[in-house]
């Protein structure tokens, strides 16, 4: 139900073009073409990273790298715990 913005609004051109593409090709093809789904997933994962802490505690670059790798390992473990294990019945 999105309506086009007025042309004098900031960012109206890009938004209106996206609306035209969605109307012409459909939302599914537009998402693949624009990379919307992938971008959305990355934004969600970055938000999760920020929830583990806004700043790095270490000053040394190698230790900062290790700190980020630990955070990523924690997120991967949480993700693995949240994936349901399905088994066929019968």
């Amino acid at each position: 139900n999105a309506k086009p913005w007025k042309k004098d609004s900031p960012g109206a051109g890009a938004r209106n073009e996206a609306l035209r593409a969605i109307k012409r090709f459909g939302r599914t093809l537009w998402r693949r073409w624009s990379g919307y789904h992938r971008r959305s997933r990355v934004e969600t994962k970055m938000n999760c990273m920020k929830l583990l802490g806004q700043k790095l505690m270490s000053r040394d670059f190698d230790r900062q790298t290790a700190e980020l790798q630990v955070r990523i390992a924690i997120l991967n473990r949480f993700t693995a715990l949240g994936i349901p294990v399905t088994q066929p019945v019968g």
Side-chain angles (χ1 to χ4, degrees):
N1 296 332
K3 305 289 184 211
W5 287 354
K6 295 179 183 176
K7 295 187 188 266
D8 58 347
S9 301
R15 182 179 186 277
N16 293 341
E17 183 62 34
L19 289 177
R20 280 192 292 274
I22 290 170
K23 189 174 185 178
R24 178 178 289 167
F25 301 116
R27 189 175 301 271
T28 304
L29 286 176
W30 173 78
R31 283 181 180 165
R32 282 191 203 144
W33 171 75
S34 67
Y36 177 82
H37 182 66
R38 186 174 184 176
R39 182 172 60 243
S40 176
R41 292 182 68 183
V42 169
E43 288 175 2
T44 302
K45 199 51 76 172
M46 286 304 296
N47 186 37
C48 293
M49 285 285 293
K50 288 181 180 180
L51 291 175
L52 292 175
Q54 290 283 340
K55 297 181 180 180
L56 296 174
M57 302 299 287
S58 306
R59 291 186 176 182
D60 183 48
F61 179 75
D62 292 332
R63 291 182 183 182
Q64 287 178 348
T65 304
E67 187 176 338
L68 287 174
Q69 289 174 345
V70 168
R71 289 182 187 187
I72 291 169
I74 290 170
L75 284 175
N76 287 339
R77 182 65 180 149
F78 285 160
T79 303
L81 289 172
I83 296 175
V85 177
T86 57
Q87 296 178 352
V89 177

